[in-house]
Structures are given as structure tokens and as C-alpha cells.
Amino acid sequence: MRLVRFETEHEERRLGVEKPDEGVVVDLETVGAELDVGLPDRMSALLAEPRWRDRLDLLVAHAGDTGVGERDRDAVQLLAPVGSPGKVVCVGLNYVEHVEEGGQERPENPVLFSKFPTAITGPESDVAWDPELTEEVDYEVELALVVGERARRVDPADATDHLAGYTVANDVSARDLQFADDQWVRGKSLDTFCPLGPAIVTPEEIGDPEDCSMWTDLNGERLQDSTTGNLIFGIDELVSFCSDAFTLEPGDVILTGTPPGVGAFRDPPVYLEDGDEVTVGVEGIGELTNYCRYD
Ligand code: MG
């Protein structure tokens, strides 16, 4: 199943289920109203509901049978699939060749940092910044985990039971701010610096999330080209490691790190500029395109 958020032509924000083969997004509020099935209107609240999946299966089946709530995929604007999670946890230095390109040591434990949730933006939106604040804005394709069930001190063996699914993130980074500070939160948390999307893909649909190709295209040129098979700390370990320190709540997002090929460590460096189009993608989830703009 592919969970999405979208905006209607009347600028209403809705939760939906995308059916790419049919070019359709099922508007859960509309079909839910017809069947008298109430659902929360926020993704993190939906994921906190017991047995949300059963209700969505029912609604999607009814929409397929009757057409009620089915919308043309091309006629709606997708939003970040989680708009306001409690936290966005990020993992740094989690691909060997990215560690090496930055001249860093391979970490013994996952290196955690954070982006403020206010940095989140969605597909086809602007990534915007003041060029007087930062001149070194970089891209990072990442597999993102979306927490489904509260997780506190979970074993690695049970970790993925706590995930609702997977999405794609661009960990946009102001390198000059990041490296000027002793820690990274300022350079990572500018407004719009956390594009997410296009959908949350549930575990049974993605197959093996540690065997997905991943890429970044900048103005059509491929600059990152790797696979989640190259993660240093795997998904089970990351969820368990985080949950030993703090409770993961439904809707929380974990960015698992970027492979090599980021702009800062290229020769010469490549930084994003006004007018650039940047696309990040992960196999089995899809692509996320954003437009760079000076603000
Ligand atoms: Mg990153």
C-alpha cells in the first residue's frame, strides 16, 4: 500500500492511498464518509490508530468497486506524506564511501542528529534559501523510515514491526553552516530543507528495503547512484539504537544516511543554485523532485 497526503483543488489537505497502476489516489475522507468510517486527518494520528490497515483496505476496496473517492493522480498535488512528525531523526556517516569521501572515520555507533520538523516539504515544491545566509547548499538522497507503532527499547529482531513503511528524503544541507558549527542542526534545518515523499510504502510492498537502488539527479545529471545495500548500520539496528535512547512515536521519521556523490566532496564542488531541479529516488518508492529558489 502507498499512503499519501495530497491537496485538493480547494486547498484541502487529505490523506489518501495511491494506486499508481490505475493513476488514482483514493481520497480516504470521501470514501470514509460514504461508509461512515471515521479516520484522523493527520498521518501520524492515522498511524497511531489500532488496525488502521484493516480500515484502509476496506475503504480502498469500496473505492475500487464504486469509484467513490477515486481521484485522478495527475489532478492532485502530493504533499509530504507526514507533515508534522514529532521528530525527524537523521543518521550521519552511514555509507562507507560517503564516510571516506568526507575524510571521516567509520563510526562505531550510529551518528544521530536531527532536522526540525518545520523543515519538511513535499514533492514538486520549492527548496528555498537566502543566498546571503548560505552559499553551499547540497543534496543527499536517503531512505527514510516512518514509525508506525510506538517503539521503546526494542530488540533489532522486532524493530521493523514498529515501522509503518518507507519513503524518500532529501537531506538538504547548508554545508557552510553545518561545518561552521560544532553540531549540524542549523545547517540541516532551514525551512524546506527536508523534502519527503512521494508516498509511504508499506513493508510488504517494498520487499527488501536494504536492497533498493537510490539516486540523485541534478538538472538531469546523475550525481548519486548507489543502493541501500551499502548501509553500514541497517534498519533493524538503527530503530533499536534510537529506541534505547528515546521513544519513537507513530509518524516519527528516521533518515538513514546518504551514499557517496554529494556535492560538497566533488571536485570541483557542486552546490545547488536558484533554478536548479533536484530529484532523489529510491527503487520501489519513487522519485521526489524539488525546485531550488533563492528566497
Ligand atoms: Mg544525511
Side-chain angles (χ1 to χ4, degrees), residues 91-92 113 140 142 171 173 188 257-258:
V91 183
F113 62 98
E140 295 189 350
E142 308 206 4
D171 178 14
S173 305
K188 294 283 191 174
T258 200

Side-chain angles (χ1 to χ4, degrees), residues 73-95:
R73 163 70 184 81
D74 293 332
V76 299
Q77 175 58 55
L78 294 186
L79 304 167
V82 190
S84 47
K87 50 192 167 296
V88 179
V89 181
C90 303
V91 183
L93 307 175
N94 203 22
Y95 285 79

Side-chain angles (χ1 to χ4, degrees), residues 55-66:
R55 275 184 277 172
L56 263 53
D57 284 338
L58 177 74
L59 298 182
V60 170
H62 185 74
D65 290 343
T66 63

Side-chain angles (χ1 to χ4, degrees), residues 127-164:
V127 169
W129 66 92
D130 177 355
E132 294 190 4
L133 176 67
T134 170
E135 298 182 316
E136 297 183 357
V137 176
D138 205 347
Y139 52 82
E140 295 189 350
V141 60
E142 308 206 4
L143 173 71
L145 319 178
V146 181
V147 175
E149 205 172 275
R150 180 172 292 171
R152 175 69 173 142
R153 296 184 182 136
V154 297
D155 288 334
D158 301 324
T160 52
D161 294 347
H162 295 265
L163 297 180

Side-chain angles (χ1 to χ4, degrees), residues 25-234:
V25 169
V26 176
D27 178 343
L28 294 173
E29 185 172 318
T30 299
V31 68
E34 167 130 330
L35 291 182
D36 210 15
V37 174
L39 288 173
D41 58 2
R42 293 175 59 242
M43 184 67 78
S44 48
L46 174 68
L47 299 179
E49 291 271 309
R51 295 185 298 283
W52 58 267
R53 181 64 192 264
D54 293 345
R55 275 184 277 172
L56 263 53
D57 284 338
L58 177 74
L59 298 182
V60 170
H62 185 74
D65 290 343
T66 63
V68 171
E70 287 197 338
R71 289 168 175 265
D72 183 351
R73 163 70 184 81
D74 293 332
V76 299
Q77 175 58 55
L78 294 186
L79 304 167
V82 190
S84 47
K87 50 192 167 296
V88 179
V89 181
C90 303
V91 183
L93 307 175
N94 203 22
Y95 285 79
V96 171
E97 290 178 359
H98 175 60
V99 173
E100 290 171 352
E101 72 179 350
Q104 306 263 359
E105 294 289 314
R106 180 177 170 141
E108 288 185 21
N109 289 306
V111 176
L112 300 188
F113 62 98
S114 179
K115 289 168 99 77
F116 295 135
T118 47
I120 289 174
T121 191
E124 308 289 333
S125 65
D126 287 345
V127 169
W129 66 92
D130 177 355
E132 294 190 4
L133 176 67
T134 170
E135 298 182 316
E136 297 183 357
V137 176
D138 205 347
Y139 52 82
E140 295 189 350
V141 60
E142 308 206 4
L143 173 71
L145 319 178
V146 181
V147 175
E149 205 172 275
R150 180 172 292 171
R152 175 69 173 142
R153 296 184 182 136
V154 297
D155 288 334
D158 301 324
T160 52
D161 294 347
H162 295 265
L163 297 180
Y166 305 87
T167 192
V168 184
N170 189 345
D171 178 14
V172 182
S173 305
R175 299 296 186 200
D176 39 6
L177 305 188
Q178 178 186 354
F179 297 138
D181 298 350
D182 283 339
Q183 46 72 43
W184 302 345
V185 70
R186 181 173 65 125
K188 294 283 191 174
S189 289
L190 276 68
D191 296 345
T192 72
F193 273 30
C194 188
L196 293 178
I200 299 169
V201 178
T202 51
E204 85 288 349
E205 182 147 333
I206 197 171
D208 182 358
E210 294 183 354
D211 185 23
C212 297
S213 58
M214 60 198 305
W215 59 91
T216 297
D217 292 338
L218 177 59
N219 302 321
E221 182 184 359
R222 185 136 304 183
L223 295 182
Q224 289 187 286
D225 189 0
S226 187
T227 161
T228 56
N230 292 332
L231 283 165
I232 296 173
F233 300 105

